[in-house]
Amino acid sequence: MADLGAEVSYHKFDPQLNKFHPLHFFSGPVSGINQENCSCSSYGINAVGIIRAPRGDGKEAIVLVTPYNSVKTSLGEALSLGIAYSVFSLLTQVTWLAKDIIWLAADSQHGEYASVAAWLRDYHTPLFSGLEKLNSEMLHESSNLYDLKKSLVRGAEVSDVFRRAGTMAAALVIKVADRNEEVERDTLTIYAEASNGQMPNLDLINVVNYLAVHGQGLRVKVEKFWSLLESKWLKVLGETFESLGKVAKSLNPKWKFGVPVADYVEGTATLASSLYHQALGVPTGPHGAFRDYQVDAITLEISPKISSNNKVRQPEFLLRGGRLMEGVIRSVNNLLEKFHQSFFLYLLTSPSKFVSVGVYMIAFALFVAPLPMVAASLYSDASNQDLSSKKDELTSSASTDVPAITFKSWTWLHAAKTVFVVHIWSVIVTLLPYFIGQIPNCTPTNSLLIWLLLSVFSLLAMRMILGSSFSLINVSQVQKKEWILMKSVTISAAFIGLCLMSVINFATAEIGALLIVPMCLMTSPLRFDGKSWSPRSITRAACNIVLAFVGFPPAAYVTLKGLFEGYDGANIGDFWNWAESLWVWNSATYLYICLVHLPCWLLCIYILLHHS
């Protein structure tokens, strides 16, 4: 970098411990610094080169990121460094640059995300420690330090000050996949999902897709669920829609509703993958660190059509990759403002097609719209039934020493108390993994079982401590209609939780509504269905039992994993690993499952087993 005339600096960072801590949940995905057993090999060093734009004022910058393992660099990482170096050397000579260029060679020996996140954290937090401190802290035998000294001996301009450029307009993470098999042509895979469902501006993906397809002839793809591509029921559904489209086109040639079966299946698999990864809340690459600072970023993984070891093919591959990066950088460089005209909330169905928030929010609105109306209707029915027994309540309360308050507007307090206690219990369940994680040598299955046992024990303890009636109503008189009021308050709590989650992560709220809305609306005491053996009662009882089973988070995870990946390798302990990935990355989905979904599921079980 220094030989090209760029400003070069080195950034030392410490490895991070990804551990769940309740007080650091929203502080970032890497919140703990590992200070134990630190040695020269435990540090990472990022190399940073900056080109000052000849036509710019230094207020904006474009970032290129190439992760590589400084201990053992693979061939794919070497090729990605080669692409970045060729583009960087070209940009040092051009005169059209209006934005500074930052090349971050991220040391990924402790993780790609960790190195990028550490540099971004220091980039936005001024530090005053330089290379001299780095030299005093690290061993002289370190290979990284030897490389620094070697650069200094050659007379390269290496600063001991953390160098910065302007506000980041966009960031591109360049990776080359290591592959030995041959494919039809070079492939570019785009990874865009960041933490908690955040996505870059759609225009950035459109620019990359257009230049890759029409400029370099690359095959562009995004992640998809490969198991859905072989789904028979999805193909049958696609054939049905294709037939309906042909019928509509025969009636009116302007009606173009027909979608080929292959496009329908592939689009559905891509849509499901996009929805899942956004709902998961875990970044799909190091680009996710940039979205935490509201910087549009994507990861571009280029896969050569033949083996990476083919040296004859490497110059052509580097040329096509370099031209693509040059085109994207030049497009971003020409912008007078940051990306803002296109969508930030969308679901991808292909690299060039998407479903905007204005479309898929309609489905969510239709799901949650019945909840407040049903809750109000249930409360109204319970209140009207209480009016018929008002005289009996007044008579019974007059015969007692302590008068009972029978205002019908207060009859819901007992149900609200139960819902409140259950939500307090859910907070305890949310914090339990922090203490379970302190147990040494505990397998995922044992950890999950301990989590379940402690959750049940804490629920029983909460019932003993807070289960006594402290409301100002005569509970014995509302016992018969208690489940109706309980269902009304439960539906209200589910509605509030889903609406709040839709603000944080719309994809999580969308998937959550698919499970929790039918469960809350259909739940009713099984004793009522058991008294009448009509087909309607049997069907309702069966649906309630199925929804209760599927609504339990571990059961839902194992069921869905078995459907997509097969039940051969399904293990109940995998749910602990999955949940652990959520809280390690501070995903809001973990809070939704524990604080919204789990309490509503437990309350629905309470209603199903109600004795009235």
Side-chain angles (χ1 to χ4, degrees), residues 48-69:
V48 184
I50 300 177
I51 301 175
R52 302 297 177 181
R55 292 180 177 270
D57 53 4
K59 294 183 179 180
E60 290 185 296
I62 304 173
V63 185
L64 291 178
V65 182
T66 51
Y68 76 102
N69 191 333

Side-chain angles (χ1 to χ4, degrees), residues 56 77 83 115 141 159 163 166 171 188 192 198-199 204 242 265 270 280 299 308 332 354 382 504 561:
E77 293 172 344
I83 294 176
S115 57
E141 297 87 8
S159 173
R163 292 186 178 274
L188 175 67
Q198 297 183 87
M199 297 287 287
L204 180 59
E242 185 179 13
V265 173
T270 306
L280 193 64
T299 295
S308 303
V332 178
F354 67 98
I504 302 173
K561 186 177 180 180

Side-chain angles (χ1 to χ4, degrees), residues 164-459:
R164 294 174 175 82
T167 303
M168 300 177 189
L172 302 173
V173 181
I174 307 171
K175 298 175 65 177
V176 176
D178 291 322
R179 62 189 313 168
N180 296 321
E181 69 277 4
E182 295 186 6
V183 293
E184 295 182 0
R185 52 178 173 168
D186 295 339
T187 304
L188 175 67
T189 305
I190 300 177
Y191 298 92
E193 291 83 5
S195 59
N196 289 321
Q198 297 183 87
M199 297 287 287
N201 192 276
L202 187 60
D203 281 341
L204 180 59
I205 297 179
N206 291 336
V207 168
V208 173
N209 177 70
Y210 182 86
L211 294 177
V213 174
H214 301 283
Q216 304 304 321
L218 300 176
R219 177 174 177 264
V220 182
K221 64 179 184 178
V222 292
E223 283 190 293
K224 59 176 66 70
F225 281 149
W226 297 100
S227 58
L228 289 179
L229 297 178
E230 304 298 331
S231 176
K232 295 182 179 180
W233 65 268
L234 191 59
K235 292 181 180 179
V236 172
L237 192 61
E239 292 174 354
T240 303
F241 283 121
E242 185 179 13
S243 301
L244 293 176
K246 291 180 180 179
V247 173
K249 188 175 181 179
S250 63
L251 298 176
N252 189 345
K254 295 183 179 180
W255 293 349
K256 299 179 180 180
F257 300 138
V259 179
V261 177
D263 293 345
Y264 179 82
V265 173
E266 186 173 358
T268 304
T270 306
L271 177 65
S273 176
S274 179
L275 182 64
Y276 170 76
H277 285 98
Q278 289 189 34
L280 193 64
V282 177
T284 54
H287 64 274
F290 288 92
R291 283 305 303 167
D292 294 336
Y293 298 91
Q294 302 304 309
V295 178
D296 295 313
I298 55 176
T299 295
L300 306 177
E301 185 180 69
I302 308 175
S303 302
K305 65 180 180 180
I306 59 177
S307 175
S308 303
N309 296 317
N310 192 329
K311 296 184 179 180
V312 178
R313 179 71 172 78
Q314 287 179 2
E316 179 187 355
F317 177 76
L318 293 174
L319 179 62
R320 298 180 71 180
R323 284 177 174 174
L324 174 62
M325 296 301 112
E326 178 193 359
V328 176
I329 291 174
R330 190 153 191 170
S331 299
V332 178
N333 178 79
N334 292 336
L335 293 176
L336 298 179
E337 300 174 335
K338 292 182 66 176
F339 289 110
H340 68 279
Q341 292 289 349
S342 191
F343 295 96
F344 284 95
L345 297 174
Y346 54 89
L347 298 172
L348 292 175
T349 57
S350 74
S352 58
K353 298 179 181 179
F354 67 98
V355 179
S356 68
V357 63
V359 175
Y360 66 76
M361 72 177 300
I362 298 176
F364 176 77
L366 293 177
F367 266 113
V368 300
L371 295 181
M373 294 184 287
V374 173
S377 176
L378 290 172
Y379 176 76
S380 177
D381 292 343
S383 299
N384 292 335
Q385 292 176 4
D386 285 343
L387 288 176
S388 60
S389 59
K390 186 175 181 180
K391 293 182 179 181
D392 297 337
E393 292 178 2
L394 291 175
T395 304
S396 61
S397 62
S399 62
T400 58
D401 296 334
V402 181
I405 300 176
T406 58
F407 296 120
K408 67 176 184 177
S409 60
W410 288 10
T411 56
W412 58 271
L413 286 179
H414 182 68
K417 179 205 70 172
T418 305
V419 174
F420 178 71
V421 170
V422 170
H423 279 81
I424 293 179
W425 167 78
S426 68
V427 176
I428 298 175
V429 174
T430 305
L431 302 179
L432 284 177
Y434 171 70
F435 302 98
I436 299 175
Q438 310 300 323
I439 303 175
N441 302 325
C442 192
T443 62
T445 302
N446 293 336
S447 298
L448 180 61
L449 293 177
I450 294 173
W451 194 10
L452 294 176
L453 291 176
L454 291 178
S455 300
V456 174
F457 176 79
S458 61
L459 179 62

Side-chain angles (χ1 to χ4, degrees), residues 18 30 42 71 166 237 289 292 318 326 372 383 468 482 500 509 533 556:
N18 288 356
V30 283
S42 64
V71 177
L237 192 61
D292 294 336
L318 293 174
E326 178 193 359
S383 299
S468 60
E482 180 187 6
L500 290 177
W533 289 93

Side-chain angles (χ1 to χ4, degrees), residues 10-13 43-47 68 105 107 134 138 144 148:
Y10 295 97
H11 169 248
K12 186 206 67 160
F13 64 95
Y43 294 97
I45 299 180
N46 297 326
Y68 76 102
D107 187 357
L134 183 150
M138 301 188 65
N144 290 332
L148 299 187

